[in-house]
Structure formats: structure tokens, C-alpha cells
Amino acid sequence: MAPFVRSDYLFIVVTLSFSVSCCFPASASTVKAAYWPSWSSSPPSAIDTSLFTHIYYAFLMPNNVTYNFEISNSKALILSNFTTTLHHKEPPVKALFSIGGGDADSSVFARMASSPVTRKAYINSTLEVARNLGFDGMDLDWEFPEDPKQMLDLSVLFDEWREAIEAEAKATNRAPLLLTAAVYYSVDFLQFGGRRSYPVRSINQNLDWINAMCYDFHGSWDTSKTGAHAALYDPNSNISTSYGLTSWVKAGVYPEKVVMGLPLYGKTWKLKDPNQHTIGSDAVGVGPGKDGVLTFAQVEKFNTRNNATVAHDMVYVSAYSFVGTSWIGYDDATSATIKVKYAYALGLRGYFFWAVSYDSEWEVSSAASRAWTQKE
Ligand SMILES: *[C@@H]1O[C@H](CO)[C@@H](O)[C@H](O)[C@H]1NC(C)=O
Ligand SMILES: *[C@@H]1O[C@H](CO)[C@@H](O)[C@H](O)[C@H]1NC(C)=O
Ligand SMILES: *[C@@H]1O[C@H](CO)[C@@H](O)[C@H](O)[C@H]1NC(C)=O
Ligand SMILES: *[C@@H]1O[C@H](CO)[C@@H](O)[C@H](O)[C@H]1NC(C)=O
Ligand SMILES: *[C@@H]1O[C@H](CO)[C@@H](O)[C@H](O)[C@H]1NC(C)=O
């Protein structure tokens, strides 16, 4: 919990680099991905594609009875514009659509995945949407399967989805569509309901990769203490990025199928005592931002406008800032650099951001991109 000094940071980076050369497979190409929320004020054409390899359109949702995607003409124009724009950028990036999201009704997925007839209708419709609108693939963001039965259904859904993708690719003589899933930060659930685990065999066999959502570890549901909501390490619990990522690998998911999530937003608290302002200090409510959330760009503005003190905790690996009773935990270029080097050292496929439009002048996205390729 010592305050950040630059020599600590260098020490950590150098220590990690010993294991860097061992595990990265040459066959799987790096993933530097980001989700583009459809409610973003900045258009896909504004994305600096030199920093990314894959951009996800977030989100689409199937009809809750037929499980088909009913895309209006105006929506189809927006989606074709999305894929065409990204394919024609210099350099071009791949475009996927993500299905579901944190605000979606997860019972729709539970019902769809529970029977062969509805799975088939849904899978067929995802392939139609992808090919008709020029996507390179799709992503399932089901938050979250609730019990072991739903995990089993998810496993079968992935089996059948992959089979359909391969059959379509063969029949049309095209490259198979990509299939990915946004998943909980760890392979076993430690929060949000009872114990259940993701289907490792099915993930390895059927998915191109998983996007592990290593964020939202703390938030407005616990206003008693400040928290680093995407901490790399936590000395007091298993709710951390390092625990989550290693849990996937220990469970047998190939490291090259695991992509680490990074947040481009912070979580805020109202301090009980303005003089107690570290990670885990007492709090009495949420701080600035709707529901205690600010995008990275908003955090930077807030810090500048209010002369907030910016600090880095090198035990947790997180940035935080404070002024008066306001406290914000977030990732910045410094913490993202260390986390990306950690993911690289673990032999993972890459990293992704939620969300691309929340960065400030590409500050964090650039630091992450440099960190991945930089050999120390
Ligand atoms: C399906 O969606 C409609 C419209 O949003 C809603 O009224 C209905 O209750 C939903 N049905 C189910 C089974 O969830
Ligand atoms: C996409 O939409 C934008 C804004 O309406 C427009 O400027 C651009 O030309 C469109 N791009 C394509 C590839 O259709
Ligand atoms: C989806 O189903 C329709 C109707 O059965 C079929 O014609 C079409 O080829 C299917 N699409 C794909 C991509 O499998
Ligand atoms: C963390 O996880 C490990 C292994 O999964 C377990 O043995 C340990 O008890 C957990 N620690 C806490 C604090 O939950
Ligand atoms: C912030 O600090 C600068 C320079 O130290 C000072 O001029 C300015 O008045 C301060 N602003 C606020 C809002 O405290």
C-alpha cells in the first residue's frame, strides 16, 4: 500500500519480463480489441485503428420469443456503415457484433440455450446477420449463466454454433466467422449467485477466444469502502485480475484463448474522512458521476479541474485520485502498462477495453498497445 514511486514500477516491470519470452504461441495472432457502445457520441470512423485489431459493435439482442435478430432497415444501414468504415480504415480492423451485454435480459439466453430448436434458430440468425452486414464474427455477452444447468446449455450452444460456422464456411468457401464470448473474470463464480463454472472443454474446442471481464470488482453496491475495481492484485481476496486470469489457465483453457479485459472508466466514492484516502479507506457513499462511474476522459477532466492528487498503488496496481471527500479508482497509462505486460507474460492472446470511446486522446489505448509489443 506504499505510495507509488517510479523505482517500484520499474522493478515490477523488470521482474515480469523474465518470463515473457517463454509462452506466447506464434500461431495465434495478437488481439487488441475494444467494444464500441452504440450510444457513443464519437463515431467508429474516429477510432485510431493503429491501436486495435478487433472492434466490437455493442450490442444486439435477439427477439425474446423467436430468437431471431430482427434488424430494421435503418439499423442495417448503421451496422453496414460500421463494418465498412472499419474495413476501410488505415490500417483496417476486424468488426464483430456483440450479443447481450450487462443490461440485457439474461433469461432470454437461458431459454434460447435450453432447447435444440431455439438454439438452431438463434445460431442461424447470427450467421445471417454477420454475412449480410459484413461482420467478421460475433461475440456472446451473456451476463451470466446462473447455475450448472445453464453452463451445460452454454457448452452445447458453443458446440452447435461452431458446427454451423464451419459448415457455412465450407459451403460458401469463405473464412469461418470468428466466435468469442465475454465472460466473468474468473472460471468459477465467486459473486453474483451460487457456485458454477464455465465449460472449459467447449470453450477450447469452439471459441476463438474469451474476453475475461476483469473489472467491476467494487462499485456502488458497496459504499462502505473505496476500491480499485480492476486491481491486478488484492492481498486480501481473490477478487483480482491476476486471480481471475490464472484461474482460467489453471482450469485448462489454453492461454492463447484468453484475452484480458481493462476498463476505460473509474469507480468513485465519497470519503468518510478526507485525510484517509487510500484503497480500502472508509467511505459513506458514491462520489462523482452517475452511480459512481466516470469514463477515463471524465476522470482526467475531473482531476484537472479540481486539482485532485493522482496516486498509484503498486500492491494492487491501480491508479486513484482524491480531492476533498471525492475518491476515484481507475486504470491509467501507468497501471494499464503493467497489466498488459502481466497478460503478455502469462502467454495470453491479448487484451480488450470496455469501451473504446471512453479514452482520452488515446492515452491508455496507446500505452497498452506499446506495452504489449515492447520487449524488455
Ligand atoms: C418479450 O419482450 C416484450 C417486449 O419487450 C415483453 O413485453 C415480453 O414480456 C417479453 N417476453 C418474455 C417471455 O420475456
Ligand atoms: C457512415 O456514416 C457516416 C456518417 O453518417 C458517413 O459520413 C460515412 O460516409 C458512412 N460511411 C460509409 C462507409 O458508408
Ligand atoms: C438459415 O436458415 C435458412 C432457412 O432454413 C437457410 O436457407 C439458410 O441457409 C440458413 N443460413 C445459414 C447461414 O445457415
Ligand atoms: C482463493 O482461492 C484459493 C484457491 O481457489 C482458495 O484456496 C482460497 O481460500 C481463496 N482465498 C480467499 C480469501 O477467498
Ligand atoms: C489548482 O492549482 C492551481 C495551481 O496550483 C491554482 O492556481 C488553482 O487556483 C487551483 N484550482 C483549484 C480549483 O483549486
Side-chain angles (χ1 to χ4, degrees):
M1 249 167 276
F4 167 60
V5 282
R6 185 140 286 262
S7 60
D8 288 350
Y9 161 58
L10 289 175
F11 174 73
I12 289 172
V13 170
V14 170
T15 309
L16 266 178
S17 68
F18 283 119
S19 49
V20 156
S21 55
C22 79
C23 340
F24 191 70
S27 54
S29 55
T30 297
V31 172
K32 298 179 177 181
Y35 287 81
W36 183 80
S38 59
W39 56 93
S40 299
S41 53
S42 124
S45 56
I47 296 172
D48 180 348
T49 53
S50 70
L51 304 174
F52 303 100
T53 57
H54 299 80
I55 302 290
Y56 289 89
Y57 179 95
F59 293 101
L60 294 181
M61 198 58 193
N63 178 287
N64 65 3
V65 177
T66 64
Y67 307 106
N68 280 304
F69 291 82
E70 292 166 354
I71 312 268
S72 65
N73 289 340
S74 58
K75 191 57 162 287
L77 281 175
I78 292 170
L79 295 171
S80 313
N81 183 296
F82 179 85
T83 58
T84 312
T85 300
L86 293 174
H87 290 156
H88 288 152
K89 290 278 288 186
E90 190 50 54
V93 288
K94 293 211 176 341
L96 295 87
F97 62 98
S98 182
I99 303 159
D103 293 332
D105 176 1
S106 60
S107 73
V108 174
F109 296 118
R111 287 199 306 276
M112 175 277 289
S114 69
S115 117
V117 176
T118 49
R119 284 195 300 266
K120 188 159 199 259
Y122 165 87
I123 290 169
N124 175 286
S125 188
T126 63
L127 269 61
E128 293 286 332
V129 168
R131 289 309 193 193
N132 290 339
L133 299 171
F135 284 98
D136 302 290
M138 49 247 176
D139 176 61
L140 176 62
D141 184 0
W142 172 359
E143 296 186 26
F144 292 102
E146 276 171 13
D147 52 37
K149 159 74 166 65
Q150 290 185 14
M151 284 297 188
L152 198 61
D153 292 343
L154 179 66
S155 168
V156 177
L157 175 69
F158 288 156
D159 285 337
E160 294 173 1
W161 210 340
R162 170 56 58 191
E163 200 181 323
I165 285 171
E166 295 304 326
E168 190 273 347
K170 212 168 163 202
T172 61
N173 205 17
R174 302 175 72 168
L177 290 161
L178 294 168
L179 181 61
T180 70
V183 294
Y184 187 61
Y185 80 99
S186 107
V187 67
D188 301 303
F189 275 74
L190 307 179
Q191 306 157 296
F192 310 128
R195 209 161 170 87
R196 69 271 196 210
S197 308
Y198 277 97
V200 170
R201 190 265 325 149
S202 182
I203 286 172
N204 275 339
Q205 259 175 29
N206 301 312
L207 298 189
D208 287 282
W209 66 81
I210 52 169
N211 289 334
M213 296 186 277
C214 302
Y215 39 70
D216 295 338
F217 301 151
H218 306 275
S220 57
W221 57 90
D222 182 4
T223 53
S224 70
K225 283 187 185 335
T226 65
H229 83 94
L232 181 56
Y233 302 107
D234 187 335
N236 303 312
S237 90
N238 284 335
I239 317 251
S240 70
T241 297
S242 60
Y243 177 84
L245 295 175
T246 51
S247 83
W248 284 105
V249 175
K250 278 186 193 161
V253 175
Y254 306 134
E256 69 265 29
K257 299 234 176 208
V258 181
V259 169
M260 173 183 72
L262 294 159
L264 279 170
Y265 60 95
K267 295 283 181 95
T268 76
W269 279 268
K270 184 172 195 253
L271 294 169
K272 187 173 176 199
D273 174 354
N275 296 315
Q276 300 296 319
H277 44 59
T278 56
I279 292 170
S281 288
D282 289 341
V284 291
V286 295
K290 187 172 174 279
D291 236 350
V293 178
L294 291 176
T295 67
F296 176 71
Q298 291 169 334
V299 172
E300 293 264 279
K301 271 204 194 98
F302 177 90
N303 291 347
T304 307
R305 264 191 210 143
N306 299 287
N307 281 352
T309 304
V310 174
H312 293 85
D313 186 301
M314 285 300 129
V315 173
Y316 288 84
V317 183
S318 177
Y320 63 94
S321 68
F322 53 91
V323 56
T325 56
S326 295
W327 192 96
I328 312 173
Y330 59 101
D331 269 332
D332 67 356
T334 302
S335 62
T337 294
I338 298 171
K339 291 167 73 175
V340 165
K341 284 174 186 288
Y342 174 90
Y344 187 94
L346 205 57
L348 304 190
R349 181 71 160 272
Y351 60 84
F352 79 90
F353 287 107
W354 178 268
V356 65
S357 36
Y358 299 170
D359 204 351
S360 168
E361 309 282 331
W362 306 109
E363 208 180 294
V364 182
S365 313
S366 314
S369 185
R370 272 195 309 273
W372 184 266
T373 41
Q374 205 175 342
K375 310 274 191 300
E376 307 245 3

